[in-house]
Amino acid sequence: MAAESEASQLGSCTKDLEAYRCERYGKQFVFVDTPGFNSSQSQTMVLRKIAHMLETTYRRDIELTGVIYTHRILDACISSAELSSLGLFAALCGGAAAPRVRLVTTMWDETDIESAEETESTLKAEQWKSLLDAGARYERFHNTHESAWEIVLRLGDNMKALLLQRELVDMRMEFTQTTAGSQLLLGVTQNMPSFPYNPRETIQFSKIKPTDIVILVLGMTGSGMSNFINKLTGMPAEIGTDSLGSCTTKVNTYACDRDGRRFIFVDTPGFDSESQSDTAVLTKILHWLRTTYQKCIDPTGVIYTYRINDTHECATELTSLRIVAALCGAEAADRLRLVTTMWDNVDEEIAKGTEVRLKDDVWRLLLGAGSCYERFNNTEGSAWDIVLGLGDTKKALVLQREVVDMEMKLEQTDAGRQILRETTRDRPSFPDIVRSSLNSISNIRPNDIVILMPPESEADELGSCTKDVHAYACYRDGKRFVFVDTPGFNNSSQRQETVLRKIVLWLKATYQRSIMLSGVIYTHGITDEHVSREEMSSFRIFTALCGDEAADRVRLVTTKWDELDSGSATDKENDMKTGPWGSLLNVGAHYSRFDNTTESAWRIVLELGETKKCLLVQREVVDMEIDWYYSTVGIRLQQEVCTRMF
């Protein structure tokens, strides 16, 4: 709540910042009363007090819902001192926060309405015009409780950081270097106040949020990556952007607000640089990608820039593009945009020939896998058309999964291996998708689709294939599926109690991390002549593990249909559904066939949907703090052991 002036007969009522808390409609409102800019204190003192409060709150991730600037409608003329105060206020807020600003006239109950409305028109058409045009809004305050709350409630719930906050914290400026601080040096002025140009904001890792739209910009040195970001953020072109030299030597991250969304643009060093090796460049990019992935921040897009005036193919360009393809992976192919630049520096007819060659030859495999081609015409509009065309879909890149989920070193990743490859003119393509082994429960996220797959029996001639609980990640349609492979309950090399304990401990640890299961798949070979005593025992233990409430998450699946006559197999199928599996099917479990094809496997998994539930054993050992041995499944295990003994 900023007062424009208190240099009047009323004097200053507020000497320091004071915050008041108020509850309304179930929400907590905090109102911050500030000293007036033209009070008994100097403007510098007032602005420093406000700056200290804004910096402190912003460092605690607290942003403002609104800023209200009040003006007495009694004052028919605005003095130069008041214009200076309003200029400070505008510099404090910045253009990006203009929609959060309310310019409010007061004391309507103390003036002639006709003359007040004339003053109001002058304010809106002259002194406040540029502020209102930038997105600020005008309001009347009629000195009533209802009028005050109407102004506040119309602000809504959106929050925005002020320019002064970003300058002090994100850009690490001294107070005197900030836009508002610099404005103090101008002193009294007759210029109409306006929101200052918003400088491009360099943002730290800690300030990037999962809701941000993150765009990674890659390319060869001198291909116009920084210039592309300059156009997006409204910055003038940097010196050297039209040359082949590198302007960017480290990963720089910039934030920009548009249409109520925050975009994060990641400017990276170019490949094939004279100042650093491709390994050094990829290492810097990898550090950024690893850190954001660990914070559950996935990119919305990857933009690869190419100079259209490079009419001849070179091996280093192909190597750079192979690195980018390997960095993205096939699953994120639709997030990649191959963008040609420098169209204003070349003969268009010659450039069109290069464009056709790129699309039909060099980039053919990448475009065929789902990537898209775009032209950048060196304008702000062209840059934003490319970015907005990516939409809001987010996907992790294969390099992120390799170094975080699979704990690979850079040289072990697909992108790292591309650097070590001998120079070749092979056309770039996305690497095949491989199953990621998750070596730690900490690599599993609550938004993963987790499927538990306990085999019903391993007491056969093949012996046991699985000794411990292992989790594997696989990506499909932008979602990460985690398949959990466990030892069989009738494992020939481990006691049943040992196997069950491993499974329960894994389930306990994941549930404590708020990770619940989307499904449990239990398999049985349809070729088996009959259900053995051991298999029935395993199934009863499995049923006790899940519980009735999670039965709808269970899929009872028959396998090996390609090894048996369909007629006899159907009879066995009916026997399983009405016999051993009948009780679990009756409480919500579902039955499926697996036809030994990829399509059949995914059909079973996708039919589970994304609903998540905890199993009975998880509730018992975590929520109810029951020792697993005395849980429902633990007691069932003891009963099965006793039955086998007698």
Side-chain angles (χ1 to χ4, degrees):
M1 309 278 288
E4 100 288 7
S5 176
E6 294 190 17
S8 67
Q9 70 276 14
L10 296 177
S12 175
C13 299
T14 305
K15 303 293 184 183
D16 292 296
L17 274 74
E18 297 176 357
Y20 304 93
R21 187 184 301 275
C22 179
E23 184 173 345
R24 189 179 177 95
Y25 302 127
K27 300 177 182 178
Q28 292 285 341
F29 292 81
V30 176
F31 300 101
V32 183
D33 192 12
T34 67
F37 283 119
N38 292 316
S39 65
S40 58
Q41 306 177 67
S42 69
Q43 286 188 331
T44 301
M45 178 66 72
V46 171
L47 188 58
R48 281 190 177 276
K49 289 180 178 180
I50 295 172
H52 175 70
M53 182 276 294
L54 291 173
E55 179 180 2
T56 302
T57 53
Y58 190 55
R59 289 189 183 280
R60 296 178 59 193
D61 293 325
I62 299 171
E63 296 179 352
L64 302 183
T65 299
V67 186
I68 296 175
Y69 183 91
T70 59
H71 174 79
R72 291 159 47 97
I73 198 65
L74 297 172
D75 299 333
C77 300
I78 292 185
S79 67
S80 57
E82 289 168 343
L83 284 177
S84 178
S85 299
L86 191 56
L88 279 179
F89 171 77
L92 176 152
C93 295
R100 300 289 89 208
V101 171
R102 296 298 181 267
L103 303 172
V104 178
T105 49
T106 64
M107 304 196 179
W108 281 86
D109 54 338
E110 299 180 22
T111 184
D112 175 66
I113 292 295
E114 186 174 340
S115 60
E117 287 180 343
E118 185 177 339
T119 301
E120 178 183 58
S121 297
T122 302
L123 287 170
K124 293 163 69 175
E126 297 180 10
Q127 290 90 349
W128 291 354
K129 183 178 185 303
S130 61
L131 305 182
L132 294 171
D133 289 345
R137 295 188 183 181
Y138 168 75
E139 301 273 5
R140 287 185 186 182
F141 171 51
H142 294 294
N143 200 25
T144 65
H145 179 81
E146 292 75 15
S147 175
W149 274 109
E150 285 175 1
I151 295 170
V152 170
L153 295 177
R154 275 196 286 267
L155 282 162
D157 295 330
N158 291 335
M159 297 184 180
K160 184 77 68 173
L162 304 187
L163 175 59
L164 183 58
Q165 292 176 304
R166 300 204 310 267
E167 289 176 327
L168 291 171
V169 179
D170 296 335
M171 304 170 74
R172 301 180 183 179
M173 290 184 177
E174 296 293 333
F175 171 77
T176 53
Q177 297 173 315
T178 65
T179 307
S182 301
Q183 186 79 20
L184 282 170
L185 303 177
L186 297 177
V188 175
T189 175
Q190 293 295 330
N191 294 332
M192 292 300 109
S194 61
F195 289 113
Y197 165 75
N198 286 306
R200 183 168 65 184
E201 174 188 348
T202 302
I203 192 166
Q204 303 170 18
F205 278 130
S206 60
K207 294 294 182 181
I208 301 176
K209 305 173 184 177
T211 54
D212 291 333
I213 298 175
V214 178
I215 309 293
L216 188 68
V217 184
L218 306 172
M220 290 274 286
T221 294
S223 63
M225 294 178 289
S226 296
N227 183 54
F228 181 81
I229 295 177
N230 289 338
K231 295 299 182 184
L232 290 164
T233 56
M235 292 288 286
E238 295 177 2
I239 298 173
T241 52
D242 290 332
S243 69
L244 293 176
S246 175
C247 300
T248 303
T249 58
K250 62 180 182 179
V251 177
N252 296 314
T253 308
Y254 306 104
C256 181
D257 295 292
R258 185 182 176 106
D259 300 330
R261 297 179 293 174
R262 189 167 76 159
F263 292 79
I264 306 294
F265 300 110
V266 187
D267 192 11
T268 64
F271 293 109
D272 194 32
S273 169
E274 293 181 357
S275 62
Q276 50 189 329
S277 66
D278 282 350
T279 301
V281 170
L282 188 57
T283 299
K284 293 177 179 180
I285 296 170
L286 171 61
H287 173 69
W288 194 93
L289 289 172
R290 178 196 288 119
T291 304
T292 52
Y293 187 61
Q294 289 170 334
K295 293 178 61 181
C296 298
I297 297 169
D298 294 334
T300 297
V302 178
I303 291 175
Y304 180 85
T305 58
Y306 177 86
R307 293 166 55 100
I308 196 63
N309 49 8
D310 290 341
T311 56
H312 299 290
E313 174 187 312
C314 66
T316 52
E317 171 69 30
L318 292 175
T319 299
S320 299
L321 195 52
R322 276 194 295 273
I323 294 172
V324 173
L327 178 151
C328 294
E331 184 62 32
D334 65 315
R335 300 292 87 205
L336 177 63
R337 295 297 182 268
L338 303 170
V339 177
T340 49
T341 64
M342 314 286 180
W343 280 88
D344 51 340
N345 291 342
V346 70
D347 179 87
E348 188 167 348
E349 291 303 315
I350 296 175
K352 285 181 178 179
T354 303
E355 182 180 52
V356 170
R357 176 180 60 82
L358 289 170
K359 293 165 66 176
D360 293 348
D361 181 15
V362 181
W363 294 349
R364 177 175 57 83
L365 296 177
L366 302 180
L367 294 172
S371 301
C372 295
Y373 167 74
E374 302 277 0
R375 283 189 189 183
F376 169 51
N377 296 319
N378 202 26
T379 65
E380 179 182 353
S382 172
W384 275 108
D385 284 344
I386 295 169
V387 169
L388 296 177
L390 283 160
D392 296 330
T393 302
K394 304 174 188 289
K395 286 187 180 179
L397 308 183
V398 71
L399 183 61
Q400 294 175 301
R401 303 200 306 263
E402 288 174 326
V403 298
V404 178
D405 297 340
M406 303 170 68
E407 300 181 357
M408 289 184 178
K409 295 180 179 179
L410 175 61
E411 60 270 18
Q412 297 173 316
T413 66
D414 281 315
R417 288 197 297 270
Q418 294 301 323
I419 296 176
L420 302 177
R421 284 183 60 184
E422 184 178 345
T423 300
T424 172
R425 292 188 178 275
D426 292 343
R427 291 327 188 214
S429 62
F430 292 108
D432 293 332
I433 301 175
V434 295
R435 183 174 70 175
S436 307
S437 177
L438 304 180
N439 298 326
S440 170
I441 288 175
S442 62
N443 291 330
I444 303 175
R445 300 188 241 174
N447 59 348
D448 289 336
I449 298 175
V450 182
I451 312 292
L452 184 68
M453 305 183 67
E456 37 79 47
S457 176
E458 294 188 6
D460 57 25
E461 68 278 5
L462 295 176
S464 174
C465 299
T466 305
K467 306 292 185 184
D468 293 294
V469 178
H470 295 290
Y472 303 93
C474 182
Y475 291 77
R476 185 183 175 103
D477 300 329
K479 301 170 187 174
R480 188 167 82 155
F481 293 80
V482 175
F483 299 102
V484 185
D485 191 14
T486 72
F489 289 123
N490 293 315
N491 192 300
S492 58
S493 63
Q494 302 182 72
R495 295 172 56 226
Q496 204 170 44
E497 180 181 334
T498 302
V499 170
L500 186 57
R501 182 175 180 274
K502 288 180 178 180
I503 295 172
V504 171
L505 290 179
W506 191 92
L507 290 170
K508 176 182 178 181
T510 51
Y511 187 54
Q512 287 172 329
R513 292 174 56 85
S514 301
I515 297 166
M516 293 192 286
L517 302 179
S518 294
V520 186
I521 295 177
Y522 186 90
T523 59
H524 172 77
I526 198 67
T527 56
D528 297 345
E529 288 296 328
H530 61 277
V531 179
S532 68
R533 178 182 176 183
E534 290 78 11
E535 289 167 348
M536 280 303 305
S537 173
S538 297
F539 185 71
R540 286 191 292 267
I541 292 173
F542 170 77
T543 301
L545 182 84
C546 298
D548 288 353
E549 288 187 20
D552 66 311
R553 299 292 86 208
V554 173
R555 294 299 180 268
L556 303 174
V557 177
T558 49
T559 63
K560 303 181 182 179
W561 280 86
D562 53 338
E563 300 178 17
L564 198 65
D565 173 71
S566 59
S568 59
T570 301
D571 292 338
K572 293 183 178 181
E573 177 184 54
N574 292 332
D575 290 342
M576 291 297 299
K577 291 162 69 176
T578 58
W581 289 354
S583 60
L584 197 53
L585 291 171
N586 289 337
V587 293
H590 293 260
Y591 168 77
S592 295
R593 287 185 185 182
F594 171 53
D595 298 323
N596 200 26
T597 64
T598 301
E599 294 75 17
S600 175
W602 276 109
R603 174 180 53 78
I604 295 168
V605 169
L606 295 177
E607 284 176 354
L608 282 161
E610 298 181 34
T611 301
K612 302 174 187 289
K613 284 188 178 180
C614 63
L615 304 187
L616 174 60
V617 70
Q618 292 176 304
R619 295 204 312 272
E620 290 178 328
V621 298
V622 177
D623 298 336
M624 302 169 68
E625 298 182 354
I626 298 174
D627 186 283
W628 82 268
Y629 194 71
Y630 299 103
S631 66
T632 302
V633 70
I635 293 172
R636 168 52 65 181
L637 171 67
Q638 297 172 54
Q639 292 171 344
E640 295 298 329
V641 171
C642 291
T643 300
R644 286 197 295 270
M645 291 175 62
F646 297 101

